[in-house]
Amino acid sequence: MGLISLLQSNPLAFVIVALALVLSLTVHEFAHAYVADRLGDRTPRSYGRVTLNPVKHLDPIGTLLILFVGFGFARPVPINPRNLGRWGVLWATAAGPLSNLVIALVCGLLLATLPFSPILSVVLITVLSVNVVLAVFNLLPIPLLDGSRILGSLVPSLGRSLAQFEAQPFSFVIVMVFIYLASAPIGQLIGRVQRWVLTTVGA
């Protein structure tokens, strides 16, 4: 179910979730670009991606999918593996989901320490939840996701096979069908990680 249905039933919740998604996706892609740039690859900078400007990171089709389907994506950050090497690619790739995990932990810490406020609690829980979803989802070792590129950096021969699969015309559709079929266990994993975040910070 997309965000459009939420807009009709609860406009305030729509605004909170939409802003949380924009913030989280922007930081995720910025983290990819920033780490790659710091490690010597100027490709993200040449595309204007070393920025926290959401316009540079949001993908029109991915945003529409979020609105109408409830699942979408941001614009991938272009990097040149030859400028980074095997371990540079790993760190630049891992930076995205790790940034989301940091945001989730910060939100959990604020929930545990700030005086209770209904609106603030809703905002923090929403941002925390969105970032846990992004962190866990992107770390899955599934083609087209960050997890597959991390795995490919650790096991180069497997990385080449995954890259060949991603180059196939219908790879996106195949991956989306797989994710849909595996939505229940993925959801359970996301729930466990969210509970771990809240437990870790004492919220």
Side-chain angles (χ1 to χ4, degrees):
M1 186 178 295
L3 287 183
I4 290 298
S5 60
L6 186 60
L7 174 61
Q8 297 169 342
S9 61
N10 192 332
L12 178 58
F14 170 84
V15 171
I16 294 173
V17 174
L19 290 177
L21 278 167
V22 170
L23 165 70
S24 307
L25 289 170
T26 298
V27 171
H28 179 103
E29 299 302 333
F30 167 76
H32 284 314
Y34 177 79
V35 172
D37 185 70
R38 293 286 293 178
L39 292 177
D41 182 16
R42 299 296 180 259
T43 307
R45 184 172 294 277
S46 68
Y47 282 86
R49 301 300 298 276
V50 189
T51 177
L52 286 170
N53 180 358
V55 176
K56 294 290 186 178
H57 299 295
L58 297 182
D59 182 271
I61 296 176
T63 302
L64 287 174
L65 286 173
I66 292 173
L67 288 173
F68 291 99
V69 180
F71 171 80
F73 49 88
R75 185 178 300 148
V77 172
I79 64 172
N80 187 341
R82 288 176 293 184
N83 294 333
L84 292 171
R86 174 182 171 188
W87 299 111
V89 170
L90 186 151
W91 285 113
T93 302
L98 288 177
S99 70
N100 294 127
L101 185 57
V102 169
I103 292 175
L105 287 167
V106 170
C107 287
L109 184 62
L110 292 175
L111 279 169
T113 56
L114 292 179
F116 176 76
S117 165
I119 294 296
L120 180 60
S121 295
V122 169
V123 170
L124 290 174
I125 290 172
T126 301
V127 176
L128 185 152
S129 300
V130 166
N131 279 277
V132 168
V133 169
L134 288 176
V136 173
F137 186 77
N138 277 284
L139 285 173
L140 295 174
I142 299 174
L144 302 177
L145 300 180
D146 293 333
S148 71
R149 292 177 173 84
I150 294 172
L151 182 60
S153 297
L154 295 172
V155 187
S157 59
L158 181 58
R160 288 189 289 271
S161 298
L162 291 169
Q164 290 174 356
F165 172 80
E166 291 181 4
Q168 300 303 312
F170 297 105
S171 61
F172 179 79
V173 176
I174 294 172
V175 170
M176 291 303 101
V177 171
F178 174 81
I179 291 173
Y180 174 77
L181 294 175
S183 58
I186 292 174
Q188 292 172 358
L189 178 59
I190 289 171
R192 291 193 186 98
V193 174
Q194 182 165 327
R195 287 191 293 274
W196 171 81
V197 169
L198 292 171
T199 301
T200 299
V201 298

